[in-house]
Amino acid sequence: MYLADKTWPELGDYVAEESVAVVPLGSTEQHGPHLPLATDHLIAEALAREAADRAGYLCTPTINIGVSPHHKQFHGTMWVDARVFRDYVESFTRNLTYHGIDRVVYVNAHGGNMQHLREVGRRLRQDEVAFAVEWMWDESIPDLVSDLFEHNGPHGGPKETAMIMHIAGELVRTDQLENARDGGLSNLGEGNFMIHGARNYYDAIDNTENGVLGDQTDATPEKGEQIFEAATEQLVKLLDWVDDARFSDLMAKPHVDPQPGSRRG
């Protein structure tokens, strides 16, 4: 069920009976010469809406702009300050709780959002307002991704390319796949990410001239469909697990005994 397509009376039965919401989040940032800037939020929305429909949960509109300053050198990349992003996500999540939602799964497709979504979830759990958990699609199916792609690459690589081939194939510049591979860093083993134990980079352009990693020529729509289905299956299982759990069991555990101050006179 997609929230924005419904009228408010049509949502009445849902909020009276259910307490789960799926929130897709991505970015609007460079993904090389072959993929659109919309890549991350397209993937997040497609997975979130599919899983929500299959499992019968509520899916909110997509957050299209995330924490992406590490791609700022490339044309068109948009981003928000990390603090602003955290506060914004926390604010609209608290808005959902007003309508009875107390379990939220952030369906995330952008690595730059991960730690910030975890922090928002920690805040909400600390206040016992909601249980909000970040889900990253490729981390749900790591073995399959590794099996399908020899040189995967965490950004603009074959896994994202295959996904967009499957969900929005018309947006893939297939004539640029070889340029993406040859102008980027196709084999991560050849990268120089560490110097004497320190990460020596802050921006994507520090590691790759065209902004992407991995071998994009290894992507196909068929592989995209395979990973889309596998990730959707994992997301449905997560949503059902969150829905089945008692809210109290999802909250922070109490301080171990003896309780602070329990023996003071």
Side-chain angles (χ1 to χ4, degrees):
M1 178 189 301
Y2 184 58
L3 182 149
D5 285 346
K6 300 297 181 180
T7 67
W8 71 261
E10 291 171 343
L11 292 170
D13 288 341
Y14 185 87
V15 299
E17 298 177 5
E18 300 289 347
S19 59
V20 176
V22 186
V23 179
L25 304 99
S27 68
T28 300
E29 64 180 26
Q30 72 83 18
H31 276 77
H34 63 303
L35 291 178
L37 275 71
T39 290
D40 286 345
H41 68 252
L42 288 174
I43 292 173
E45 180 168 344
L47 287 167
R49 294 186 67 162
E50 182 66 22
D53 285 346
R54 291 186 188 185
Y57 298 116
L58 186 69
C59 181
T60 74
T62 305
I63 307 305
N64 291 340
I65 299 174
V67 184
S68 303
H70 49 295
H71 294 292
K72 63 181 180 292
Q73 288 90 349
F74 297 95
H75 302 310
T77 292
M78 302 181 70
W79 68 92
V80 294
D81 178 78
R83 176 185 56 79
V84 173
F85 177 80
R86 290 191 298 268
D87 289 347
Y88 178 73
V89 174
E90 180 179 356
S91 180
F92 74 65
T93 304
R94 288 180 183 271
N95 162 259
L96 288 171
T97 69
Y98 177 79
H99 298 293
I101 300 298
D102 62 17
R103 300 124 199 269
V104 175
V105 174
Y106 298 127
V107 175
N108 180 38
H110 173 52
N113 294 340
M114 293 172 64
Q115 62 179 312
H116 308 293
L117 293 172
R118 288 284 296 170
E119 174 59 25
V120 170
R122 186 181 302 278
R123 294 179 188 177
L124 295 167
R125 187 175 187 242
Q126 179 175 309
D127 291 347
E128 297 188 350
V129 172
F131 178 76
V133 62
E134 184 263 349
W135 179 84
M136 187 76 175
W137 71 270
D138 57 322
E139 292 190 348
S140 75
I141 50 170
D143 293 339
L144 177 59
V145 171
S146 295
D147 289 344
L148 287 177
F149 307 113
E150 182 178 359
H151 297 298
N152 180 29
H155 185 74
K159 66 185 177 186
E160 290 185 321
T161 304
M163 283 285 269
I164 297 300
M165 285 178 168
H166 172 57
I167 64 178
E170 71 281 3
L171 297 180
V172 180
R173 282 65 167 175
T174 54
D175 61 335
Q176 293 294 318
L177 295 180
E178 291 185 3
N179 289 338
R181 177 196 63 195
D182 297 341
L185 181 63
S186 60
N187 185 349
L188 298 188
E190 298 174 356
N192 184 24
F193 301 110
M194 303 282 288
I195 295 181
H196 305 305
R199 292 175 178 81
N200 64 337
Y201 61 91
Y202 286 95
D203 298 329
I205 203 169
D206 295 333
N207 296 316
T208 164
E209 291 185 2
N210 70 0
V212 293
L213 305 160
D215 183 359
Q216 294 75 16
T217 65
D218 200 16
T220 66
E222 292 75 22
K223 290 181 180 179
E225 182 178 12
Q226 188 175 353
I227 58 179
F228 181 87
E229 288 299 319
T232 299
E233 180 180 348
Q234 290 299 308
L235 180 53
V236 168
K237 290 179 178 179
L238 173 62
L239 290 168
D240 286 340
W241 176 83
V242 169
D243 184 51
D244 290 341
R246 292 191 307 176
F247 184 75
S248 60
D249 291 339
L250 297 172
M251 293 296 97
K253 302 299 184 288
H255 194 289
V256 297
D257 289 329
Q259 294 293 305
S262 60
R263 295 176 183 170
R264 295 172 191 162

